[in-house]
Amino acid sequence: MVFSSPIFLACFLPVLLGIYALAPSRARNAVLLAGSLFFYAWGEPKAVLLMLALIGVNHAAGLAIARRLPPDGARPPRGARLALALGVAADLAALGTFKYASFLAQNLQALGLAVPDPGIALPIGVSFYVFQCVSYLADVYRRAIPAERSLPDFALYVSLFPQLVAGPIVRYASIRGEMRDRTLRADDAAEGLRRFGRGLAKKVLVADTLAKVADAAFPADLAALPQAFAWAGAFCYALQIFYDFSGYSDMAIGLGRVFGFRFPENFDHPYGSTSVREFWRRWHMTLSGWFRDYLYIPLGGSRRGAARTYLNLVLVFALCGLWHGASWCFVLWGLWHGLGLVGERLLARRAPSRQPLRLALHARGLGAVQGGDGGLRSGLRRALPQDPSPRQPGPSARVLLAGDGELHALRPPHGAGGPAPLLPRPGRAPDAPRPHLARLRGLLRALPRGLRLRDDLELLPLHLLPVLGRPGRSGAAWAARMSSGVNSAGQEVCQTCVTS
């Protein structure tokens, strides 16, 4: 069951809200716990057993840690450290078994080892509630919070349905007071429903629309895909994953507000960042905060010299990529961001009084590789056209930056005598025709008109629309081929990914 499905909007949410509003205050946690377990069991009836098992293990581990902590604030004894280690090991073992067992088996098979693939299905939301359990145990061990003695209340914290499937990652300390004492108020419910509606619009009206454009721009035959369309697809994919992910976060925050909880914000205009570091302070903030507090700082953070800092950054972001999915593409995605942070620090050290301009200019382009496997493949492999010429055996970063000249038209308009393009192509006149630009106009201007009306919706490439002008015939012809299900090479494309 997803938030945008009719069964959720028309049945589950109204019924649960009605029962929750009519229930007495002392019974609302029980109503919400039953509703959350039903919500999860609707799509994963067997996986709910794993969640219940981890709830029991972590609740017991938290109590064991609290009982062994000395009251005077001294260093925790061995018993507390052992309880913490066993609880975290159980969480990571469950995550590793259900999420990474098949990935490990496939890699061992690639090395020639006869290891069977277990084919274990990935439970929905396991990455999120496992991280919440780990943060709970670590905070109890650090004395940041007391252990929760009520098993139903702890079960509600882990299984709370608004943030269960796609975050944000909620720490127990942020909602501990609301677990015991919260009031159902009309203004909170109204604000929560408005936030939910905005997130639903992001998901259904924007993300799903951009997905059609992005998927239609990525046919299987890379040689038949003009570079301009590859760029358009990469931009649309970057926007798609932002609207999809932030839309779900908005819906979760809104639903939490309806039920009396204040969940932390998860996105803060990330594509407006001017550096890689700032980007990760704005993108999926609860995840980046989790990795900072529970992995980066325990590894030493930036307190043990520059080399150790760089190693910690690369390691943390490699694991961040692996958390997103069991694929080497996700690991490469994480390494890309980790190396970007390292490069930014190196440039800042070499020129402390100067903004690391090169990385800052490319900070927004990082959105093209968000989302791991799909983002990395769409933003890099598919955006870089394959050149069959033996003189250029493969794609390169220079192709993406300079390409064959079409993309230099994508710049703010200048009057007569205005500045030259930032990356002029050698040997090409400024007014030389660009054959694929008209098609790019048609593709981008085919997006819903409402996408160009709001400046607070993170529309990364759409500020280029005034420059592109009216669509040409070639753009209409290309859009017609995509809509008909046949690309420029005469091959069929996925009919679920194009408009009719």
Side-chain angles (χ1 to χ4, degrees), residues 109-467:
Q109 291 172 3
L111 295 175
L113 301 178
V115 179
D117 187 347
I120 302 176
L122 177 64
I124 297 175
V126 63
S127 299
F128 290 94
Y129 68 74
V130 162
F131 268 29
Q132 292 192 175
C133 290
V134 172
S135 69
Y136 167 78
L137 295 180
D139 288 346
V140 171
Y141 180 81
R142 297 171 178 176
R143 301 182 177 89
I145 56 172
E148 176 56 65
R149 300 190 176 278
S150 170
L151 179 58
D153 286 352
F154 180 74
L156 177 60
Y157 160 67
V158 175
S159 65
L160 194 56
F161 81 92
Q163 46 80 38
L164 180 62
V165 175
I169 298 175
V170 180
R171 303 187 194 185
Y172 184 72
S174 65
I175 62 170
R176 177 173 174 268
E178 296 162 351
M179 292 285 294
R180 300 180 179 277
D181 183 20
R182 61 184 183 275
T183 303
L184 186 62
R185 295 183 296 185
D187 56 345
D188 280 343
E191 177 59 29
L193 290 176
R194 280 194 294 269
R195 185 71 179 267
F196 177 83
R198 187 170 68 180
L200 184 64
K202 283 185 178 181
K203 162 63 180 168
V204 176
L205 300 181
V206 182
D208 291 351
T209 302
L210 291 169
K212 296 175 182 179
V213 177
D215 292 339
F218 293 152
D221 185 7
L222 298 180
L225 182 66
Q227 188 184 35
F229 297 134
W231 271 102
F235 282 141
C236 288
Y237 188 87
L239 292 171
Q240 174 203 342
I241 58 175
F242 167 75
Y243 284 119
D244 196 293
F245 206 172
S246 68
Y248 269 111
S249 293
D250 285 343
M251 287 189 278
I253 293 171
L255 287 175
R257 185 77 175 267
V258 170
F259 290 104
F261 294 95
R262 298 294 182 97
F263 293 158
E265 295 292 334
N266 215 19
F267 292 87
D268 183 19
H269 301 82
Y271 289 160
S273 305
T274 57
S275 68
V276 185
R277 180 186 300 184
E278 183 183 1
F279 177 84
W280 276 103
R281 289 174 178 171
R282 294 166 172 259
W283 177 278
H284 204 342
M285 295 184 291
T286 57
L287 177 66
S288 57
W290 192 99
F291 274 102
R292 179 197 63 217
D293 294 340
Y294 301 106
L295 186 58
Y296 177 71
I297 293 178
L299 287 174
S302 59
R303 303 187 304 273
R304 300 183 180 180
R308 181 62 180 269
T309 299
Y310 302 152
L311 177 62
N312 290 341
L313 286 172
V314 173
L315 176 61
V316 166
F317 273 89
L319 294 176
C320 177
L322 190 62
W323 177 86
H324 281 82
S327 169
W328 286 112
C329 288
F330 289 98
V331 177
L332 293 175
W333 172 85
L335 290 173
W336 164 258
H337 285 271
L339 292 174
L341 286 169
V342 171
E344 187 175 85
R345 286 174 176 260
L346 288 172
L347 286 178
R349 291 185 64 185
R350 294 183 63 181
S353 62
R354 183 181 302 175
Q355 175 76 6
L357 181 60
R358 187 173 184 83
L359 287 177
L361 289 175
H362 291 88
R364 298 189 181 201
L366 295 176
V369 294
Q370 296 301 312
D373 177 50
L376 191 66
R377 180 184 61 202
S378 302
L380 295 180
R381 178 177 176 271
R382 290 184 170 180
L384 298 177
Q386 304 289 338
D387 189 347
S389 171
R391 294 175 297 177
Q392 298 182 0
S396 64
R398 184 178 181 278
V399 178
L400 182 60
L401 293 175
D404 56 358
E406 312 100 291
L407 297 177
H408 299 302
L410 306 185
R411 62 184 189 277
H414 301 294
L422 294 176
L423 293 172
R425 185 184 180 190
R428 185 160 197 168
D431 297 329
R434 297 172 174 89
H436 303 308
L437 182 57
R439 302 182 218 174
L440 180 59
R441 295 193 199 106
L443 178 64
L444 291 180
R445 291 181 66 87
L447 293 173
R449 183 178 300 274
L451 299 186
R452 303 173 229 141
L453 299 181
R454 296 286 301 275
D455 59 0
D456 60 340
L457 292 180
E458 296 290 348
L459 300 181
L460 176 63
L462 299 187
H463 68 281
L464 303 173
L465 287 173
V467 185

